[in-house]
Amino acid sequence: MEDLGFPWWLRGTHLLNIIFLSFLIRSGIQILASHPKLYWNDACKHGSEWLSFTTKEMPKDKLWTSQDEEEYYNSVVAIPGGDSLGPGRQWHFLNVIGWILTGVVYVALLFLDWPQWTRLVPTSWEVIPGAFQNFVTYLSFQIPPIPPGEEYNYLQKLTYGAVVFLLAPFQILTGAAMSPALSARYPWYIKLFGRHQSARSLHFLGLVAWISFVAIHVFMVVVHGFGKEMAKMVFGTEEHAEAAIVITIASIVALVALHIVTTKFSLNYPRRAQHALLAVVSPVRRSLLRRVTSAQNYDITDISPQPRVNGRPPAGEEYKRMAENGFEEYRLDVYGLVEKPRSFSLEELRTFPSVQTQRTLHHCIQGWTYVAEWTGVPLHQIIELCEPKPEARYLVFRTFQNVPESEPEPKGPGNFYGTIDFELMNHPQTILAYEMNGESLPVEHGAPIRLRVETQLGFKMVKWVCAIEVVEDYSHIGKGQGGWREDNQYYGTGAGI
Amino acid sequence: MLYFLRTTALNLPQLTKAAGILLILAIGAIHLYLAPMHFEAATYIGVAFVINFVAALVAALSIYRGAPNWGWLLGAYVAGGAFVAYLVSRAVGLAGFEEAVGNWANPWGSFALIVEGLYLAGYFSVATGVAVAAPEKRDWHS
């Protein structure tokens, strides 16, 4: 039997795996902090969580929003820590890309470098009783023997094989299942995991499994002989154990330093970090999810009874007055790079020739969801009436919400706004909604008009819309990042996942 | 750790209850299985193993019935007592059972320690309010 050894590619991908996994765990915790509750139901009804990591209790006597439920975790466990969902997501996606590429290279070489695959894939049923016997041997505080022609004992072989071929794909698949674009286009895929929130819970349990595996793995490396085992991973042989220990310790110090530097960079230079991370993440996300369109039509029985809200309604007098009058004075202005600027009343929108109703799953960027029925006008029809000029590329949605006025702890200045491009505008389920669940849009959900773009995360679906500006470029608007949350919370403009 | 305990809340009462019952039954079953050979070594240890089994059964039944919560506490005494007694028997020795001193290479003993440790962790989570056990359910404010 050929000695499989520890080839260079195996050692290299193992090192990369450690780096990417360490960032994935910290950035995953950062994302979880923005909604530290896990559910098995997509309605996410308050109180139905099966696990939570917060002591916050929501008030019974006044309006609260999902922002009040956020936790701010320390940078020791989360990257970059604190109130940093946007950067945390970008760190997560950057490392997802690197980790998946590493995994693809590893698995490819495992099968190309024949017969390396036999180190992880059992070739005999003997492995099962052998692994049990190994377990008993460990319980006797002894090291099980390595069978001839193998690099690991049977229990190791089964465990490593399960991690590479089961746990890693499981994390990728459950992570992808949280994408609003994928769940909008392929509802059956999400149902493989139950629903969206089941996928989120399973993704978390996968994280627990990873952390458990790493803890036991490191412990067993020490038990088996730290120097000898590290020499295999550093040099590919059991020789030079002392040098391997020194290199391992130096590598751990370097990894910790890398985490500290990237964390400080993200906290001290959030805009530069946003641009640097998105330079990698955005093209990948765009190429995978951009053209995915929504084909959702949930059953009426799926509609969530008490959908959450994110963001408090506008507090301005003009809006309050309009709301009291049933928005009779409301006008939706469409202007900018159009041949025919128009102004629509709510009644004109309600009596528009095309009416579209859709029951869809709303995905908040924080992680919670709900199903609702939306009725409104296809957005592209409104814009086409105004005859956009050839250079027009983006729609900027202006709102009544002055954030510092409405939010007790505003995360930025000015009025909320958001942008989408013409491609999203033309998606079949992109509408300007004026009804929710068969009734006029409630104030807390964006009355009188909100945007629905069903392949995107909730923050792109601007509420309390008062005007649409058609532009060629959004760099001169706000802080130039393409939306209020992109400007002030460092989100990416792409929101397909 | 304290922050983690303070902020974590597990709301799976049925699963928590089932886990508690399975673990305490496993502890009792292991001790019942090992009782005959321990009767030969020292009668009082064999008797203690049978008592462990009976107490584990009572604890499991009480946990199953849900209230009062002394079932979890009884189970903690059963698991904790066995855990400590095993460590003492290997580290210091028990009267009439001195041959066990230093004999850590005992798969059943190690396995029992793991199961007992898991039960104690479960009991700790219930006692500190991290987890709730049926029929209790968290009453979140909404």
Side-chain angles (χ1 to χ4, degrees), chain A residues 37 40 45-60 64 71-73 135-142 306, chain B residues 3-12 15 86 103-114 130 137-142:
Chain A
K37 299 174 181 178
W40 297 113
K45 184 173 178 291
H46 192 61
S48 68
E49 56 265 36
W50 67 270
L51 183 63
S52 75
F53 299 100
T54 178
T55 53
K56 287 184 176 177
E57 290 191 356
M58 297 302 107
K60 290 177 174 177
W64 55 269
E71 284 283 348
Y72 301 150
Y73 291 161
F135 180 61
V136 172
T137 307
Y138 278 123
L139 288 178
S140 305
F141 295 113
Q142 292 171 351
Q306 293 173 345
Chain B
Y3 178 80
F4 179 77
L5 285 176
R6 195 165 56 82
T7 58
T8 304
L10 179 67
N11 191 25
L12 292 173
L15 187 68
Y86 183 82
N103 180 24
W104 296 101
N106 179 345
W108 276 114
S110 304
F111 184 64
L113 281 182
I114 293 171
V130 168
K137 208 170 168 68
R138 288 191 187 282
D139 180 24
W140 310 91
H141 294 296
S142 57

Side-chain angles (χ1 to χ4, degrees), chain A residues 106-171:
Chain A
Y106 173 83
V107 173
L109 288 171
L110 193 67
F111 287 94
L112 289 173
D113 190 358
W114 203 267
Q116 286 289 342
W117 62 274
T118 59
R119 70 190 305 134
L120 294 186
V121 182
T123 52
S124 156
W125 288 109
E126 191 186 326
V127 168
I128 307 290
F132 179 74
Q133 191 55 49
N134 291 159
F135 180 61
V136 172
T137 307
Y138 278 123
L139 288 178
S140 305
F141 295 113
Q142 292 171 351
I143 306 292
I146 294 175
E150 299 277 358
E151 289 299 331
Y152 313 121
N153 65 48
Y154 289 136
L155 188 57
Q156 284 177 300
K157 183 170 185 156
L158 279 186
T159 306
Y160 296 160
V163 167
V164 170
F165 296 115
L166 295 178
L167 183 55
F170 178 80
Q171 283 301 83

